[in-house]
Amino acid sequence: MTTPTLLVLEADPPPRLGRLTGRARIVHTDESALPEHLPHADVLLVWDFTSRAVREAWPGEGPRPRWVHTASAGVDHLLSPELVASDTVVTNARGVFDRPIAEYVAALVLAMAKDLPRTLELQRERTWRHRESLKVAGTRACVIGAGPIGRAICSTLGALGITTALVGRTPRSGIHGPDDLDRLLSRADWVIAAAPLTEDTRGMFDARRFGVMQPSARFINVGRGQLVVEEALADALTRQWIAGSALDVFEHEPLTPDSPLWQVPGLIVSPHMSGDTIGWRDELGAQFVELYELWAAGRPLVNVVDKDRGYVPGH
């Protein structure tokens, strides 16, 4: 039996794949050499999940990997029309980031409710200024994105006494559909975007949606940057249509030093780190090895992406 070729689209630090020694011929590549190696690979591990090189390099006809795994929750950086049309299986890192992102969202909610950014500013100024802060228990949150991350966010915020409403692609038990979104936004104190990027969700948070929100609402995005029309958000904050916002993902990353978003009043900027806790890369590597063992044994893979929808369907 021929040893399968595993192609790794590299990022630093590289994944720990020692458990696959002798069980796979591991070839490492960068973006420039990816087109050359793709036709000869059985499996592609997209370790550099910020790269869009797979979309550009994926072969339309002829040999190609039978399975592609991305070390990320989002898959929009992969799904070219050619890959979607192919019989190649795509999997993602579903399950690794759920709790860390939920904790990060809870931290942002508490930070904004308790005015912690201003407290730190006043400390640097050595200014004693008493203020009153918001009690989060009893407030309402609308979470958009009904996957594991969205559900974990609801659970974590619920532990703080926040009433949560979860919005997904289709309505089902415990989950609202898109038709309910505007009504829920108009009542929410916290609006949290945790949806995948699809044609239905791209730019969904625009001037109209920010206008639907109440002036006391805060908006948080831990999904994909392209869910938000950033100019519309900046305008809504400047005009005080909403009370505050926190973005962990952006349309273009990294955010450049001259980006106007750094100076938008009431906006907290973080560098796409909400899911990245100590040891997260080792978890991603271990998850891939477990999936590889399933694949090599001819057993069904988990975390299989519906390529037409752009995410792993819920159960």
Side-chain angles (χ1 to χ4, degrees):
M1 181 176 178
T2 304
T3 302
T5 297
L6 166 60
L7 181 62
V8 181
L9 180 57
E10 199 64 275
D12 189 44
R16 297 184 181 184
L17 301 175
R19 283 168 54 188
L20 299 184
T21 300
R23 301 163 63 187
R25 175 178 172 265
I26 302 176
V27 177
H28 297 266
T29 186
D30 59 13
E31 292 183 346
S32 63
L34 181 64
E36 173 189 347
H37 291 296
L38 268 177
H40 309 291
D42 298 292
V43 179
L44 171 64
L45 168 58
V46 184
W47 190 249
D48 183 1
F49 50 80
T50 65
S51 172
R52 298 180 65 84
V54 176
R55 287 184 65 100
E56 300 164 5
W58 190 261
E61 299 291 339
R64 53 182 175 254
R66 292 174 280 160
W67 167 38
V68 174
H69 176 78
T70 178
S72 61
V75 296
D76 51 278
H77 59 297
L78 298 177
L79 296 182
S80 65
E82 294 81 8
L83 176 51
V84 171
S86 74
D87 58 0
T88 297
V89 176
V90 175
T91 58
N92 72 350
R94 180 181 172 109
V96 172
F97 300 109
D98 309 351
R99 297 308 310 180
I101 291 178
E103 292 173 0
Y104 199 87
V105 168
L108 290 171
V109 166
L110 290 170
M112 287 190 278
K114 304 307 177 184
D115 199 23
L116 293 184
R118 184 60 178 150
T119 293
L120 296 174
E121 290 176 7
L122 292 170
Q123 180 179 347
R124 285 191 290 270
E125 297 169 6
R126 302 190 180 193
T127 300
W128 181 280
R129 183 174 301 160
H130 180 269
R131 289 108 62 220
E132 295 177 346
S133 63
L134 176 68
K135 180 173 67 173
V136 299
T139 60
R140 295 175 175 176
C142 177
V143 180
I144 299 89
I149 292 173
R151 296 197 300 271
I153 291 170
C154 285
S155 174
T156 302
L157 296 184
L160 296 175
I162 299 173
T163 300
T164 60
L166 186 60
V167 180
R169 183 174 182 265
T170 55
R172 50 197 186 274
S173 178
I175 299 174
H176 296 269
D179 290 346
D180 292 334
L181 180 56
D182 284 357
R183 175 178 60 83
L184 294 170
L185 290 181
S186 69
R187 304 168 57 192
D189 302 290
W190 312 99
V191 178
I192 297 106
L197 179 62
T198 67
E199 288 308 308
D200 292 331
T201 62
R202 186 183 300 274
M204 67 183 299
F205 291 100
D206 55 10
R208 189 190 71 78
R209 283 263 161 74
F210 291 122
V212 168
M213 298 177 197
Q214 54 187 348
S216 60
R218 273 96 170 168
F219 173 76
I220 297 171
N221 186 15
V222 290
R224 307 297 285 173
Q226 294 87 345
L227 301 179
V228 179
V229 179
E230 292 174 348
E231 290 183 3
L233 173 60
D235 189 57
L237 288 166
T238 301
R239 295 173 181 266
Q240 298 183 344
W241 286 1
I242 61 175
S245 180
L247 299 180
D248 186 56
V249 287
F250 301 86
E251 183 175 3
H252 301 291
E253 297 181 6
L255 206 61
T256 58
D258 61 350
S259 169
L261 291 175
W262 294 107
Q263 302 297 323
V264 174
L267 177 61
I268 298 173
V269 170
S270 59
H272 204 148
M273 59 180 285
S274 61
D276 301 348
T277 52
I278 295 171
W280 64 285
R281 289 184 179 87
D282 290 340
E283 289 186 52
L284 289 173
Q287 180 189 54
F288 172 74
V289 170
E290 291 174 4
L291 287 171
Y292 186 91
E293 290 171 344
L294 290 175
W295 179 83
R299 296 168 60 190
L301 289 168
V302 298
N303 292 4
V304 175
V305 172
D306 182 322
K307 293 185 290 183
D308 291 317
R309 295 184 182 182
Y311 55 87
V312 179
H315 302 291

